[in-house]
Amino acid sequence: MNKIKLMMWGRKFDLDITFDCYSNEKVLESQKQAIQKFSEMSDVIDKSLEKVKAYCLSNNKEDIGVESIENIFKYVAPKYLFVPRDENNQIVAIMCNYKYDPESGMAIVFENGNFKEIGKQEIIL
């Protein structure tokens, strides 16, 4: 397992990287490239903050109790990066703990340098 230092939403993180591969498999070149590209797309990552806030408010507005979220880290805590095994696409998911769904958490998925989707971690695992 590798680590990456990442500036995300105004905070520094030191996140583990988990590559989807069995012990008898090697990490694909496309998986390595996905992490490399991901580390260079800080603007795309930062823009995802508004989408994460919108996701939280659309799913748990009553629990949150406010119209807009000032500090996303009260609800979402990035834990590690997950890189699925895909030879054709460069996919990276930021796997997070989510206050209002501790069992399923949250995955923020990026594909080929662009934001793709947010959902429970099952969307990528």
Side-chain angles (χ1 to χ4, degrees):
M1 193 174 349
N2 300 325
K3 283 192 169 283
I4 186 171
K5 291 186 187 312
L6 189 66
M7 185 70 162
M8 185 170 95
W9 308 335
R11 285 201 185 162
K12 289 182 183 177
F13 290 91
D14 194 16
L15 301 173
D16 288 329
I17 302 169
T18 301
F19 292 98
D20 183 21
C21 62
Y22 294 106
S23 58
N24 63 340
E25 296 176 320
K26 292 188 178 195
V27 174
L28 297 173
E29 193 59 36
S30 62
Q31 289 175 296
K32 293 176 188 174
Q33 290 171 357
I35 286 294
Q36 178 61 40
K37 189 172 200 171
F38 182 79
S39 70
E40 297 169 354
M41 48 187 258
S42 60
D43 56 330
V44 176
I45 297 166
D46 284 342
K47 286 179 185 172
S48 72
L49 174 59
E50 292 308 313
K51 292 175 173 74
V52 173
K53 287 179 178 181
Y55 175 89
C56 294
L57 288 171
S58 70
N59 288 290
N60 300 98
K61 188 172 188 172
E62 290 178 12
D63 298 318
I64 293 169
V66 294
E67 293 297 314
S68 67
I69 296 173
E70 294 299 316
N71 181 2
I72 193 65
F73 299 111
K74 285 182 172 179
Y75 314 105
V76 178
K79 289 298 167 193
Y80 68 98
L81 300 182
F82 178 74
V83 186
R85 195 165 186 81
D86 189 322
E87 293 185 27
N88 301 315
N89 296 294
Q90 296 175 343
I91 302 170
V92 176
I94 304 169
M95 307 300 271
C96 305
N97 289 346
Y98 181 43
K99 181 177 182 176
Y100 298 109
D101 194 352
E103 284 190 28
S104 298
M106 177 188 291
I108 307 160
V109 184
F110 300 85
E111 184 174 322
N112 299 326
N114 298 300
F115 170 82
K116 183 180 180 189
E117 64 182 327
I118 298 172
K120 295 176 186 272
Q121 291 181 359
E122 290 90 50
I123 65 172
I124 195 75
L125 293 176

